């Protein structure tokens, strides 16, 4: 099966119906939703809507089966050892907070957690709060001049007190892909666990957590062509089993008496209350669709667009590209600054060209500080983007400069 | 449309940067930022006998935010706190009031009227005004 861009784009209703055409290049914030996810959610709520795990009637059993099938689909997408390692959350942020609270409860004052300066705030602020609660030492992996996480610095940073290294799989600002193997090797040498924030990775194809050799993986559904309000924490089952609950309520307990409670085994222990059932089913559908795609072709397609974007930006006066300017070990996320022009003004003018671009600090203020900026423009490409989208952006930038200068 | 948003009057205001720079002898200061977009302003005000005699500001933000700060740098010196509150209310009406009556808004604020259609940018224009209001409510500002 080869990749058919037009046919694929037609499977995204918002893009297919947009008139005039929408040049959607804000995929690092939220990708458009695939029709399989929309259809799966609609079908679920029309034909199988009931609460899960509890009811004995056939409708409730069908709902539970659909929810657990979604979990199995996530497990296949991640190549997890077992579906019981997959915890549904409301998004990557809640997955990361879950680890910071629950795994974090085992950490003591003086224990170390290492994050990088390239993290999204979602993989930084929870650790700062843990530092406030428990007195852990939070250390920072530096980034290179072009914004890549400098894994070589771990040699001097990770000590025997290091309990966790938490890094992004792919930067939401520069698109740089982290050398996870180097992170894992450094972590194992001091007995630390590894958490990877996969929010920017999953839209670019299936992930193999076993091959990565990591301990925790987090991502959101809305960034991989699925619904909002659903995310995933994957963790090794033995780790999950040793972790206390984060949120408490129905569905996560064993026995409850006035004196106390026992808790369910993972993953239910971490899914208190009624979960986002239809959204989980929608995510399962989106991931199943993703696993059928010809990723070699898609990567070549994305790289062609990336190359056109990088070359086009390099020709614009006053444009500075943040992060790597080559195609090595990166995804098609490109942030750039235009001298003297504020990103919000740039993005506002691009909107009249039908180009949806994000401007701001991208919830990565420490990385922005590294680049000496308050914010930047960011173009992030998904599999349904075309050269026409890139050309619309590059043409629009000429107008931006004319309007704002 | 964004061309109207960035009309010449707005660009000229931003470029003029009236009142740019910190005041060495301020009666009060306020530092505000818009966490959603990252615009940031530190605004100083010097007040004497109930009148603003000078304002200064360090504004790191978009063109609209810088234009609004510049508008204040031009309009605030010589005005009372009450007069600036009226200007703030006129700007709010210009941006948010359901049935807008532009005759109730001073002419110098009208270049900001296209911002009305762009809700996500209201905060950019209002931030300097909010900073001035906060500085003037500081008891030391008299």
């Amino acid at each position: 099966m080869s990749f058919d861009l037009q046919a694929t784009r037609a499977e995204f209703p918002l893009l297919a119906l947009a008139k005039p055409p929408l040049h959607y290049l804000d995929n690092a914030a939220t990708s458009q939703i695939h029709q399989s996810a929309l259809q799966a959610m609609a079908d679920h709520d029309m034909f199988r809507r009931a609460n899960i795990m509890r009811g004995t009637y056939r409708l409730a059993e069908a709902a539970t089966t659909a929810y657990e099938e979604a979990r199995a689909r996530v497990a296949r997408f991640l190549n997890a050892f077992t579906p019981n390692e997959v915890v549904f959350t409301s998004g990557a942020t809640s997955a990361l907070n879950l680890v910071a609270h629950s795994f974090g409860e085992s950490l003591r004052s003086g224990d170390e957690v290492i994050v990088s300066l390239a993290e999204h705030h979602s993989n930084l602020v929870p650790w700062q709060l843990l530092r406030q609660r428990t007195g852990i030492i939070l250390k920072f992996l530096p980034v290179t001049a072009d914004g890549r996480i400098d894994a070589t610095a771990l040699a001097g940073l990770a000590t025997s007190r290091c309990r966790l290294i938490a890094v992004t799989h792919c930067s939401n600002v520069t698109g740089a892909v982290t050398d996870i193997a180097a992170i894992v090797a450094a972590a194992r040498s001091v007995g630390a666990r590894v958490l990877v924030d996969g929010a920017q990775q999953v839209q670019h194809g299936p992930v193999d957590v076993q091959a990565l050799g990591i301990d925790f993986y987090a991502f959101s559904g809305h960034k991989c062509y699925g619904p909002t309000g659903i995310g995933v924490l994957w963790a090794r089952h033995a780790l999950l089993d040793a972790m206390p609950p984060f949120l408490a309520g129905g569905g996560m307990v064993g026995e409850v008496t006035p004196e106390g409670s026992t808790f369910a085994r993972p993953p239910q222990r971490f899914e208190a209350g009624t979960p986002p059932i239809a959204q989980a089913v929608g995510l399962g559908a989106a991931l199943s669709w993703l696993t059928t795609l010809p990723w070699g072709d898609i990567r070549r397609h994305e790289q062609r667009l990336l190359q056109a974007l990088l070359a086009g930006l390099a020709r614009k006066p006053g444009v500075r590209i943040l992060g790597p300017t080559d195609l090595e070990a990166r995804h098609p996320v490109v942030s750039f600054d235009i001298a003297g022009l504020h990103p919000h003004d740039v993005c506002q003018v691009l909107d009249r060209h039908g180009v949806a671009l994000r401007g701001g600090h991208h919830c990565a203020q420490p990385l922005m500080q590294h680049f000496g900026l308050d914010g930047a423009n960011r173009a992030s490409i998904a599999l349904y983007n075309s050269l026409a989208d890139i050309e619309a952006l590059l043409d629009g930038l000429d107008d931006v400069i004319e309007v704002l200068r | 449309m964004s061309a109207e948003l960035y009309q010449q009057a707005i660009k000229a205001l931003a470029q003029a940067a009236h009142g740019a720079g910190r005041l060495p002898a301020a009666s009060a200061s306020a530092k505000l930022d818009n966490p959603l977009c990252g615009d940031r302003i530190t605004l100083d005000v010097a007040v004497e006998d109930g009148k603003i005699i000078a304002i200064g500001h360090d504004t790191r933000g978009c063109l609209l935010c810088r234009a609004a700060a510049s508008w204040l740098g031009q309009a605030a010196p010589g005005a009372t706190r009450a007069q600036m509150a009226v200007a703030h209310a006129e700007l709010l009406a210009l941006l948010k009031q359901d049935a807008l009556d532009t005759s109730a808004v001073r002419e110098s604020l009208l270049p900001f009227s296209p911002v009305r259609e762009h809700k996500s940018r209201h905060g950019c224009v209002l931030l300097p005004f909010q900073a001035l209001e906060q500085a003037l409510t500081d008891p030391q500002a008299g």
Side-chain angles (χ1 to χ4, degrees):
Chain A
M1 175 179 135
S2 61
F3 179 60
D4 183 338
L5 173 61
Q6 292 312 319
T8 302
R9 195 174 170 97
E11 292 170 358
F12 289 84
L14 188 141
L15 298 174
L17 297 171
K19 281 184 184 165
L22 173 65
H23 303 291
Y24 187 78
L25 292 166
D26 193 19
N27 296 289
T30 288
S31 62
Q32 294 304 324
I33 188 166
H34 188 253
Q35 64 182 19
S36 66
L38 282 170
Q39 194 62 51
M41 286 193 292
D43 284 351
H44 183 84
D45 273 341
M46 282 195 290
F47 303 117
R48 289 184 294 279
R49 184 179 169 92
N51 214 324
I52 56 166
M53 306 291 178
R54 300 165 182 84
T56 53
Y57 48 93
R58 280 171 293 171
L59 185 67
E61 285 186 349
T64 301
T65 300
Y67 183 72
E68 290 307 323
E69 172 56 25
R71 197 190 305 280
R73 289 176 178 210
V74 175
R76 285 196 287 276
F77 179 80
L78 293 175
N79 193 28
F81 296 97
T82 151
N84 285 339
E85 296 173 327
V86 172
V87 177
F88 282 120
T89 65
S90 65
T93 297
S94 62
L96 294 164
N97 274 274
L98 192 165
V99 180
H101 275 265
S102 192
F103 176 77
E105 212 164 287
S106 68
L107 304 191
R108 297 290 169 260
S109 178
D111 283 346
E112 296 168 0
V113 171
I114 298 176
V115 298
S116 86
L117 286 174
E119 297 311 306
H120 188 284
H121 296 165
S122 298
N123 194 29
L124 168 57
V125 181
W127 305 109
Q128 291 176 329
L129 293 177
L130 179 66
R131 177 173 61 186
Q132 282 176 25
R133 290 197 302 273
T134 65
I136 62 156
I137 296 166
L138 191 54
K139 291 182 167 180
F140 292 91
L141 251 180
V143 292
T144 59
D146 63 355
R148 286 188 183 278
I149 294 175
D150 184 4
T152 62
L154 275 173
L157 212 55
T159 74
S160 60
R161 291 298 303 271
C162 182
R163 296 288 175 265
L164 182 75
I165 302 175
V167 291
T168 186
H169 203 163
C170 169
S171 165
N172 72 319
V173 173
T174 67
V177 173
T178 305
D179 182 355
I180 299 297
I183 302 279
V184 169
R188 296 299 179 243
S189 72
V190 294
R193 301 291 183 182
V194 175
L195 178 153
V196 176
D197 171 3
Q200 296 298 331
Q201 178 72 25
V202 284
Q203 59 272 59
H204 301 294
V207 173
D208 188 337
V209 291
Q210 295 191 44
L212 288 172
I214 58 176
D215 301 294
F216 300 98
Y217 200 83
F219 71 93
S220 294
H222 69 98
K223 285 182 169 48
C224 54
Y225 315 107
T228 57
I230 186 76
V232 166
L233 171 68
W234 169 87
R236 291 174 186 272
H237 198 264
L239 266 175
L240 284 175
D241 215 14
M243 284 162 48
F246 171 36
L247 299 175
M252 49 75 73
V253 290
E255 185 184 15
V256 179
T257 67
E259 287 71 36
S261 305
T262 60
F263 302 111
R265 300 284 304 278
Q268 283 76 22
R269 184 186 300 166
F270 301 102
E271 294 180 358
T274 298
I277 303 163
Q279 288 87 339
V281 170
L283 175 62
L287 296 183
S288 283
W289 167 72
L290 280 180
T291 54
T292 66
L293 297 178
W295 281 101
D297 284 359
I298 293 170
R299 289 201 180 96
R300 281 187 288 279
H301 164 66
E302 289 184 345
Q303 294 240 320
R304 268 197 300 276
L305 302 190
L306 174 62
Q307 201 161 19
L309 175 60
L310 289 169
L313 287 174
R315 285 195 294 270
K316 302 284 178 198
V319 168
R320 171 190 168 205
I321 294 169
L322 312 180
T325 53
D326 57 19
L327 304 183
E328 286 304 306
R330 68 168 304 160
H331 288 309
V333 178
V334 180
S335 291
F336 58 96
D337 179 54
I338 306 177
L341 302 186
H342 193 280
H344 286 150
D345 299 320
V346 171
C347 296
Q348 187 82 59
V349 178
L350 285 171
D351 180 52
R352 74 173 177 170
H353 295 269
V355 177
L357 206 73
R358 177 64 70 90
H361 53 56
H362 308 298
C363 297
Q365 290 185 49
L367 188 56
M368 285 294 143
Q369 287 153 15
H370 167 79
F371 288 121
L373 296 169
D374 293 327
N377 312 285
R378 181 184 67 190
S380 47
I381 294 166
L383 54 79
Y384 43 61
N385 285 122
S386 66
L387 269 177
D389 296 327
I390 305 303
E391 283 161 9
L393 166 59
L394 294 171
D395 291 346
L397 286 176
D398 293 334
D399 186 41
V400 164
I401 292 166
E402 195 176 315
V403 168
L404 295 178
R405 285 220 168 113
Chain B
M1 292 299 285
S2 46
E4 292 167 352
L5 203 59
Y6 297 108
Q7 58 188 276
Q8 197 51 42
I10 292 291
K11 288 199 282 186
L13 258 179
Q15 197 164 15
H18 298 295
R22 302 294 304 273
L23 278 189
S27 312
S29 302
K31 185 176 176 181
L32 283 186
D33 60 14
N34 182 343
L36 294 178
C37 69
D39 288 346
R40 189 172 298 167
I41 185 169
T42 306
L43 186 141
D44 303 316
V45 61
V47 179
E48 216 172 86
D49 299 330
K51 275 196 172 174
I52 297 167
I53 56 167
I55 73 163
H57 59 88
D58 176 19
T59 306
R60 296 177 69 172
C62 65
L63 198 146
L64 298 177
C65 185
R66 287 185 278 119
S70 179
W71 188 93
L72 283 179
Q74 195 171 37
T80 63
R81 179 180 164 180
Q83 286 168 330
M84 292 316 297
V86 171
H88 192 169
E90 287 175 24
L91 180 62
L92 277 169
L94 188 68
L95 296 177
K96 295 174 186 290
Q97 194 168 291
D98 286 342
L100 176 63
D101 174 11
T102 51
S103 67
V105 178
R106 70 194 67 194
E107 200 178 338
S108 63
L109 281 174
L110 292 179
F112 290 104
S113 60
V115 184
R116 183 181 171 84
E117 304 304 320
H118 302 276
K119 210 169 177 181
S120 65
R121 307 302 298 277
H122 290 184
C124 308
V125 179
L126 288 168
L127 191 72
F129 285 77
Q130 290 161 343
L132 178 63
E133 185 183 13
Q134 185 169 312
L136 289 172
T137 52
D138 184 314
Q140 289 177 39

